[in-house]
Amino acid sequence: GAGVSQSPSNKVTEKGKDVELRCDPISGHTALYWYRQSLGQGLEFLIYFQGNSAPDKSGLPSDRFSAERTGGSVSTLTIQRTQQEDSAVYLCASSVERVGTDTQYFGPGTRLTVL
Amino acid sequence: SQKIEQNSEALNIQEGKTATLTCNYTNYSPAYLQWYRQDPGRGPVFLLLIRENEKEKRKERLKVTFDTTLKQSLFHITASQPADSATYLCARPTGGYQKVTFGIGTKLQVIP
């Protein structure tokens, strides 16, 4: 079956511009997660959704970052007024229910480059 | 804080040998640990989950151990092959088990 998909696969933008990253989770998965992976760094948790609600937004680096999920499916991560330090690979993952018991299935990621 | 520590240096081994990767955690023992594989340009792929009350778990050529005294998990790949070359990530639940913290990963290179 179809896995987690993300778009675009690559995004190059200029400093100060806004970007939107999209994630399509596996159908039926209620939990969805966003991570950021910088070169040589581990996965940095950003936010997770249980259904359409985001109980934990503590990982978002600043108020320039926001995310939403609609219909319990597609999620969008928005970065406003991008900065060079936002350059990274943004990974999305989904799981059947909640993190405590379920395996996460990752998408291929979106590589964001801020010039 | 609940941290996961992995040796960020690359591990090079000869084909056919057993590769052993280490994951150390801090604070209290988690209910489980997970191991993922990540290839360049790809998202991590789940390999194994070992629970706190399981000392060892196997899947084909993979073996994972969980030592709550040492606060450590070991990940073994027996009869290693060049196709096993990848970065391997260890992860533990945190934040009331509502999210997962990943280690930085260990890059394994199996030399033919």
Side-chain angles (χ1 to χ4, degrees):
Chain A
V4 177
S5 61
Q6 292 185 247
S7 61
S9 55
N10 281 284
K11 177 71 177 179
V12 180
T13 189
E14 293 180 347
K15 178 182 173 181
K17 300 284 189 183
D18 298 351
V19 295
E20 282 190 354
L21 311 180
R22 177 187 168 108
C23 172
D24 281 272
I26 293 173
S27 178
H29 281 196
T30 60
L32 183 147
Y33 319 86
W34 283 98
Y35 294 89
R36 178 168 73 173
Q37 189 171 36
S38 303
L39 190 63
Q41 302 297 314
L43 285 166
E44 176 189 2
F45 168 81
L46 298 178
I47 189 170
Y48 95 95
F49 289 89
Q50 191 70 44
N52 290 333
S53 64
D56 187 349
K57 302 180 182 179
S58 63
L60 293 177
S62 74
D63 58 8
R64 296 185 295 105
F65 287 72
S66 64
E68 65 174 13
R69 188 181 186 194
T70 55
S73 180
V74 173
S75 176
T76 302
L77 177 68
T78 301
I79 309 174
Q80 295 178 311
R81 306 181 301 282
T82 52
Q83 303 294 312
Q84 288 182 333
E85 61 262 29
D86 298 335
S87 296
V89 175
Y90 289 81
L91 289 158
C92 173
S94 70
S95 63
V96 175
E97 293 185 1
R98 52 174 292 178
V99 179
T101 57
D102 295 318
T103 300
Q104 294 183 51
Y105 296 86
F106 283 83
T110 292
R111 181 175 297 277
L112 174 67
T113 303
V114 182
L115 301 176
Chain B
S1 62
Q2 301 154 10
K3 294 182 180 179
I4 284 285
E5 296 168 351
Q6 293 184 260
N7 187 350
S8 60
E9 294 182 9
L11 176 65
N12 296 323
I13 65 164
Q14 206 69 36
E15 181 178 4
K17 301 292 186 182
T18 296
T20 299
L21 285 66
T22 304
C23 172
N24 295 298
Y25 61 87
T26 62
N27 213 308
Y28 60 86
S29 287
Y32 64 85
L33 287 166
Q34 294 178 324
W35 283 88
Y36 288 77
R37 166 182 173 145
Q38 186 173 25
D39 292 283
R42 310 288 290 271
V45 175
F46 171 78
L47 295 175
L48 281 169
L49 180 152
I50 183 166
R51 301 192 184 280
E52 187 180 15
N53 60 354
E54 297 174 317
K55 297 300 180 186
E56 179 180 299
K57 199 156 193 180
R58 293 174 184 263
K59 178 182 177 182
E60 298 174 350
R61 294 185 295 111
L62 308 180
K63 185 179 83 171
V64 175
T65 63
F66 194 163
D67 189 325
T68 56
T69 301
L70 294 178
K71 294 190 175 183
Q72 181 180 83
S73 175
L74 297 179
F75 178 82
H76 306 272
I77 305 176
T78 58
S80 59
Q81 304 167 0
D84 295 327
S85 298
T87 296
Y88 292 86
L89 307 173
C90 176
R92 67 164 290 167
T94 55
Y97 293 84
Q98 292 184 340
K99 59 185 179 183
V100 170
T101 296
F102 285 82
I104 194 170
T106 299
K107 185 175 182 179
L108 172 67
Q109 186 75 33
V110 180
I111 303 165

